[in-house]
């Protein structure tokens, strides 16, 4: 095992230990919380190591970087079957490219973006899985749909045969206690599930706040730094 593989393996064991402990504290089954490895700014070789370690949920937030990494990982590990997720803000002119590599888009925050994705996904054999990105504090600068508009957006998405609504995603706003943010989000997620039974996913919690997210029902934590280390400058 290379030094980098050993480093990532040790980090992975630590993150999984944190998830297990958070689930025990919340009275939850660790199997109900999936780990999504955020590989943005890290090379495809790191994604290959994660795949070797059994981590097949990979996430990116920039299409240009993700598309190239997707292709490179296919060359490095042709037998691996990773599932790629788009978790960053998405411009409509990028959707056709994103649909080529992404199995799930977690950042749908408008009807216009949903329509663009649906059009781009017309030739897929199966509907594209999507999550609605919620803005917990309603600040449009960081992206996300205001909580009060989520029902309208969800209703729009489920009317598309090219999209499959799986749930909601959010980031704890800067300046707000993560526990308070996720408590608010959990209430909205519960209401959404009542109206749309397929929307079971609650994607929240990252390296610094995954315990609070698990405590409030997160089913998917998106972890980058705690797995792969501090990030350098984003690739062009």
């Amino acid at each position: 095992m290379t030094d980098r593989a050993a480093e990532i393996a040790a980090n992975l064991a630590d993150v999984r230990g944190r998830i297990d402990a958070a689930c025990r504290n919340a009275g939850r089954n660790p199997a109900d919380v999936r780990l999504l490895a955020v590989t943005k700014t890290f090379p495809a070789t790191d994604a290959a190591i994660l795949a070797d370690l059994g981590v097949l949920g990979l996430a990116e937030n920039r299409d240009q970087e993700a598309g190239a990494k997707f292709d490179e990982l296919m060359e490095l590990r042709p037998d691996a079957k990773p599932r790629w997720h788009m978790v960053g803000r998405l411009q409509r002119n990028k959707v056709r490219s994103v649909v080529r590599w992404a199995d799930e888009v977690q950042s749908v925050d408008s009807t216009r973006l949903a329509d663009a994705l649906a059009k781009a996904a017309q030739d897929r054999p199966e509907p594209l899985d999507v999550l609605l990105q919620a803005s917990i504090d309603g600040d449009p600068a960081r992206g996300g749909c205001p909580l009060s508009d989520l029902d309208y957006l969800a209703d729009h998405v489920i009317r598309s045969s090219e999209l499959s609504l799986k749930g909601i995603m959010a980031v704890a706003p800067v300046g707000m206690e993560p526990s308070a943010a996720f408590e608010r989000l959990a209430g909205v997620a519960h209401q959404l599930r009542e109206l749309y039974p397929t929307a079971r996913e609650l994607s929240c919690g990252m390296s610094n706040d995954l315990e609070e997210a698990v405590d409030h029902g997160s089913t998917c934590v998106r972890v980058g730094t705690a797995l792969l280390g501090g990030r350098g400058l984003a690739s062009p």
Side-chain angles (χ1 to χ4, degrees):
M1 180 179 285
T2 66
D3 289 346
R4 180 57 172 162
E7 177 188 4
I8 293 175
N11 290 344
L12 175 60
D14 181 66
V15 168
R16 284 181 167 159
R18 289 174 60 190
I19 294 172
D20 288 350
C23 286
R24 286 196 301 271
N25 290 337
R28 299 182 60 196
N29 185 344
D32 293 335
V33 181
R34 66 184 176 115
L35 171 62
L36 201 59
V38 182
T39 53
K40 65 180 184 179
T41 77
F42 289 98
T45 51
D46 281 359
I49 290 170
L50 286 165
D52 293 341
L53 293 169
V55 179
L56 297 177
L58 305 176
E60 291 282 329
N61 72 337
R62 300 175 73 232
D63 171 61
Q64 183 176 355
E65 178 184 349
K69 197 175 297 182
F70 170 88
D71 292 335
E72 187 175 352
L73 184 59
M74 287 186 65
E75 295 181 4
L76 290 171
R77 298 292 187 273
D79 295 329
K81 303 295 181 184
R83 195 165 191 270
W84 290 90
H85 302 68
M86 177 61 171
V87 297
R89 296 188 72 175
L90 180 55
Q91 296 176 327
R92 294 194 304 279
N93 63 352
K94 298 289 187 181
V95 296
R96 187 166 297 279
S97 177
V98 167
V99 164
R100 180 184 74 85
W101 59 265
D103 298 289
E104 180 175 281
V105 175
Q106 292 202 356
S107 49
V108 177
D109 60 0
S110 71
T111 57
R112 295 177 70 189
L113 178 56
D115 289 344
L117 282 167
K119 183 176 180 180
Q122 286 178 341
D123 295 330
R124 290 173 61 96
E126 300 291 338
L128 175 68
D129 289 346
V130 300
L131 273 64
L132 310 183
Q133 182 177 355
S135 173
I136 297 174
D137 63 356
D139 184 352
R142 288 190 293 269
C145 176
L147 299 182
S148 59
D149 295 339
L150 280 176
D151 283 353
Y152 177 81
L153 180 56
D155 186 67
H156 187 86
V157 168
I158 64 165
R159 295 175 186 275
S160 170
S161 59
E162 290 82 20
L163 304 178
S164 179
L165 178 62
K166 295 300 183 183
I168 61 175
M169 179 271 275
V171 177
V174 176
M176 180 181 290
E177 285 294 329
S179 184
F182 297 144
E183 182 178 13
R184 182 182 302 178
L185 184 67
V188 176
H190 176 74
Q191 294 173 4
L192 194 69
R193 291 183 188 123
E194 290 290 309
L195 293 171
Y196 310 101
T198 65
R200 306 301 304 173
E201 190 87 277
L202 174 56
S203 176
C204 63
M206 299 188 292
S207 293
N208 293 330
D209 55 20
L210 68 84
E211 285 85 1
E212 291 91 337
V214 169
D215 189 48
H216 289 288
S218 175
T219 62
C220 173
V221 291
R222 309 181 305 275
V223 180
T225 301
L227 279 176
L228 299 174
R231 303 184 188 283
L233 294 175
S235 57

